């Protein structure tokens, strides 16, 4: 199902979506965790992007497994496949952190604007509740860990494709006419 499209392996095509969405989600989550201004500006966009990234990861994994059957197993391909299979857990944690951050921030903003002692220092203190601080810490760790894992996976994938190519010598066999 996730093998080829038009004779081209789907894995490199799908991976481009993952390579854009996962780091974008990690960046948004990191910024939202560190900045109430970004949290307010981005709103629900952050957890939506993280969820889209999460949805894309299994497609990349399945298309990678189909490609692995075509190219055969090498040590580099196997390393890439093992690292790739772990990404779903990292992005799942990132998406959970994004939704928790959005939900708790939304509740905090609603409470702060809902009358009573919601303004001023009391509203600011609620924005830094122990629950919010824990979610912020989780979000930062998830964003950084996910980014590191994406880089590791990308590097291992590039190595599995391009290993040895730089050492190949192109020999001119003289068949082409040079004018």
């Amino acid at each position: 199902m996730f093998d080829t499209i038009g004779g081209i392996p789907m894995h490199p095509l799908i991976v481009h979506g993952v390579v854009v969405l996962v780091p974008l989600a990690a960046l948004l989550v990191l910024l939202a965790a560190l900045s109430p201004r970004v949290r307010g500006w981005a709103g629900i966009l952050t957890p939506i992007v993280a969820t889209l990234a999460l949805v894309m990861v299994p497609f990349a994994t399945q298309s990678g497994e189909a490609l692995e059957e075509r190219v055969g197993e090498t040590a580099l391909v196997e390393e890439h496949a093992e690292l790739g299979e772990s990404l779903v857990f990292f992005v799942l944690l990132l998406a959970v952190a994004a939704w928790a951050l959005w939900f708790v921030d939304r509740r905090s903003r609603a409470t702060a604007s809902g009358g009573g002692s919601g303004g001023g220092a009391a509203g600011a203190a609620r924005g830094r509740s122990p629950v919010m601080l824990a979610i912020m810490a989780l979000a930062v760790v998830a964003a950084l860990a996910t980014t590191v894992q994406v880089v590791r996976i990308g590097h291992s994938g590039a190595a599995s494709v391009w290993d040895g190519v730089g050492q190949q010598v192109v020999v001119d066999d003289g068949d082409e006419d040079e004018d």
Side-chain angles (χ1 to χ4, degrees):
M1 180 174 179
F2 295 104
D3 192 10
T4 63
I5 184 166
I8 298 173
M10 286 182 67
H11 187 63
L13 302 172
I14 293 173
V15 162
H16 280 85
V18 171
V19 166
V20 169
L21 284 174
V22 172
L24 176 61
L27 179 62
L28 284 171
V29 169
L30 181 65
L31 292 175
L34 298 176
S35 170
R37 176 178 271 165
V38 172
R39 223 175 11 253
W41 169 81
I44 197 163
L45 178 66
T46 301
I48 287 175
V49 171
T51 302
L52 288 173
L54 178 61
V55 167
M56 288 296 294
V57 170
F59 292 124
T61 304
Q62 290 176 8
S63 65
E65 289 172 357
L67 181 59
E68 184 179 17
E69 290 177 16
R70 285 184 172 276
V71 299
E73 284 189 32
T74 66
L76 291 172
V77 169
E78 188 60 32
E79 176 189 3
H80 177 65
E82 287 178 15
L83 287 171
E85 288 173 359
S86 71
L87 185 60
V88 71
F89 302 109
F90 286 85
V91 181
L92 177 62
L93 181 62
L94 186 71
V96 167
W99 282 106
L101 193 61
W102 175 78
F103 180 75
V104 170
D105 183 63
R106 186 168 179 227
R107 285 192 59 190
S108 176
R109 287 176 190 267
T111 303
S113 67
S117 62
R126 265 197 299 273
R128 298 287 182 158
S129 70
V131 171
M132 180 57 111
L133 290 173
I135 293 170
M136 290 166 62
L138 173 68
V140 168
V141 169
L144 295 176
T146 301
T147 301
V148 167
Q149 191 66 359
V150 166
V151 169
R152 291 179 66 214
I153 294 165
H155 178 40
S156 71
S160 71
V161 171
W162 298 106
D163 184 57
V165 171
Q167 290 83 27
Q168 293 179 354
V169 177
V170 178
V171 178
D172 184 8
D173 62 2
D175 286 345
E176 292 186 36
D177 294 332
E178 294 184 29
D179 292 327

